[in-house]
Amino acid sequence: MMKSEKPSIFLPDRSPLKVTLLVFSGSSIMCVASAIDPLRAANRVSGETLFDWKIVSTDGEAPITTSGLPIAVSGRFDASEKTDVLAIVGGFGTKTQGTPALLAALRRTARSAQAIGGIEAGTWLVARAGLLEGRAATTHWEDMEDFAQAFPGVDVRPDRYVIDGPVFTSGGASPTFDLMLHLIRSRLGMAVALDVASVFIYDQARAATDAQPLVSLGRLDGYDPRLAQAIRLMEAHIDQPLTVAAIARRAGVTPRTLESIFRKSIGETPGAYYLRLRLAAARRLVADTQVSMADIATRTGFSSPAAFSRSFSHAFGEAPVRIRRR
C-alpha cells in the first residue's frame, strides 16, 4: 500500500468518528475492552457521541474469546458499509484465517476508510492484505520474530503501538488502551484524555515507543510530575476546592508557572480544569445516583444548589434535573 494522503484520525477533530471492530474467535476479551471502553468513556465524560462503534465478525456469529466469553456482534463484516476506522482484533489462530475473500474485503475497506489497524494478532491479517508493506508495525511480542520473517517488507518494531500514516497496530491489551487514549487526546485534547484515564483509575500510560517487555513506568505525552501533583490535589479537594495559589504552593511552583504548565499540557487554566473536574464528578452523581441536588452541590464544592445548577447547565447545556429524569 502506498503512503496515503488521507487526513489522519490522530488530529484535533470533534466530529463523530465511526469505528468498526472486526473481532475473531481466540481474541482476548481484554483487547476488545481496551479498544472499546476508552471510547465509551470519552463519550460519557464529554456528553457527546464522539465515537460511534459497532462490533462485527466474519460470519455474523459471536466470536468466543480466550476466556470462553462470547462477544455480541451486530452482524457480519461488510466491506461495502461505510466506516471511518476498521480495527481488526485477533488472537490465537487469527493469523491463519486470512481467506482471499476476507483479505480482498480488508483492502476494499482500507481504500475508503480513514484508517485501518490490527490489534494483537489482527496485525497478521492487515499484513496479509498487503496493507503494511513498506510501513512500520508491531504485534504481540510472542509473535514478533515469526511476523518479521513472514513479512520482510514490514519495518517490525517492538513498540507498544505504532501509527504509520493511515495504519495503526498494537501489541496487546494494555498497549491498545494506550493507543485509544492517544486517539482521544489527539482528537479531543489532553483534558478529556485525563478524564477518561480517571474513569479507569489509570494513572499513567507508557509511551508508544516503549518496548513491550519492559515494566518500567512510562508517561502520558506532555507529562509533567507537577501537573500530576496538582491534579491529584484537585481530586482530593472536590468538596472544598483549594485556591490555585494554594495548589501551586503545594506543588512547589508559582501560580504563574502552574498556569503555564496547564496551558501547555492541557490547554486550559488550572481554574478551568478544576471546575471541569468538579462538574464531571457532579455529573456522575446526577446520572448514576439518587443523591439530592443540594448534597451534590455540597459534595462538589458549590456554594449553593443554585450556583451548582447554573454552572452545570452552562457546562452541559441542560439542567441537572433534566439529566436525572432520563
Side-chain angles (χ1 to χ4, degrees), residues 5 190 278:
E5 297 300 320
M190 176 68 104
R278 291 162 53 209

Side-chain angles (χ1 to χ4, degrees), residues 31-114:
C31 281
V32 178
S34 292
I36 295 173
D37 252 5
L39 306 184
R40 174 199 60 79
N43 287 347
R44 181 170 182 254
V45 301
S46 64
E48 302 177 59
T49 303
L50 299 172
F51 298 98
D52 178 16
W53 67 85
K54 65 184 294 188
I55 306 175
V56 297
S57 62
T58 54
D59 57 6
E61 298 297 320
I64 306 300
T65 61
T66 49
S67 62
L69 295 174
I71 299 293
V73 299
S74 59
R76 184 191 302 265
F77 171 55
D78 183 352
S80 67
E81 289 188 6
K82 179 174 171 48
T83 191
D84 297 317
V85 182
L86 174 64
I88 303 161
V89 186
F92 294 121
T94 300
K95 62 184 179 181
T96 64
Q97 298 182 34
T99 64
L102 174 60
L103 299 181
L106 297 183
R107 288 189 288 269
R108 180 179 177 184
T109 299
R111 287 192 293 270
S112 60
Q114 288 181 251

Side-chain angles (χ1 to χ4, degrees), residues 35-273:
I36 295 173
D37 252 5
L39 306 184
R40 174 199 60 79
N43 287 347
R44 181 170 182 254
V45 301
S46 64
E48 302 177 59
T49 303
L50 299 172
F51 298 98
D52 178 16
W53 67 85
K54 65 184 294 188
I55 306 175
V56 297
S57 62
T58 54
D59 57 6
E61 298 297 320
I64 306 300
T65 61
T66 49
S67 62
L69 295 174
I71 299 293
V73 299
S74 59
R76 184 191 302 265
F77 171 55
D78 183 352
S80 67
E81 289 188 6
K82 179 174 171 48
T83 191
D84 297 317
V85 182
L86 174 64
I88 303 161
V89 186
F92 294 121
T94 300
K95 62 184 179 181
T96 64
Q97 298 182 34
T99 64
L102 174 60
L103 299 181
L106 297 183
R107 288 189 288 269
R108 180 179 177 184
T109 299
R111 287 192 293 270
S112 60
Q114 288 181 251
I116 186 169
I119 293 173
E120 202 167 280
T123 301
W124 284 83
L125 297 185
V126 180
R128 290 199 190 285
L131 302 173
L132 286 175
E133 192 67 22
R135 294 192 182 277
T138 192
T139 189
H140 193 276
W141 63 269
E142 290 179 319
D143 283 345
M144 205 160 291
E145 185 175 345
D146 290 344
F147 186 85
Q149 291 179 353
F151 305 105
V154 179
D155 176 11
V156 181
R157 299 179 182 180
D159 299 355
R160 294 174 61 76
Y161 65 85
V162 175
I163 301 165
D164 190 339
V167 186
F168 59 87
T169 50
S170 81
S174 179
T176 298
F177 196 102
D178 291 342
L179 172 65
M180 293 304 169
L181 273 184
H182 176 63
L183 175 65
I184 292 164
R185 181 169 58 248
S186 300
R187 294 182 70 84
L188 309 178
M190 176 68 104
V192 176
L194 286 172
D195 287 346
V196 170
S198 296
V199 168
F200 299 97
I201 320 177
Y202 193 79
D203 190 33
Q204 293 178 323
R206 294 176 174 85
T209 52
D210 283 352
Q212 289 180 36
L214 296 182
V215 296
S216 59
L217 291 175
R219 58 192 183 279
L220 287 166
D221 292 351
Y223 172 83
D224 186 312
R226 297 169 297 180
L227 174 71
Q229 185 177 358
I231 289 175
R232 290 190 184 106
L233 283 167
M234 292 175 182
E235 290 173 337
H237 295 85
I238 294 291
D239 57 340
Q240 294 182 328
L242 301 172
T243 64
V244 171
I247 294 170
R249 185 170 59 253
R250 295 191 189 190
V253 297
T254 66
R256 185 174 179 178
T257 298
L258 186 65
E259 180 163 335
S260 176
I261 291 169
F262 268 78
R263 286 191 180 278
K264 180 180 178 181
S265 300
I266 298 181
E268 292 182 345
T269 64
Y273 181 79

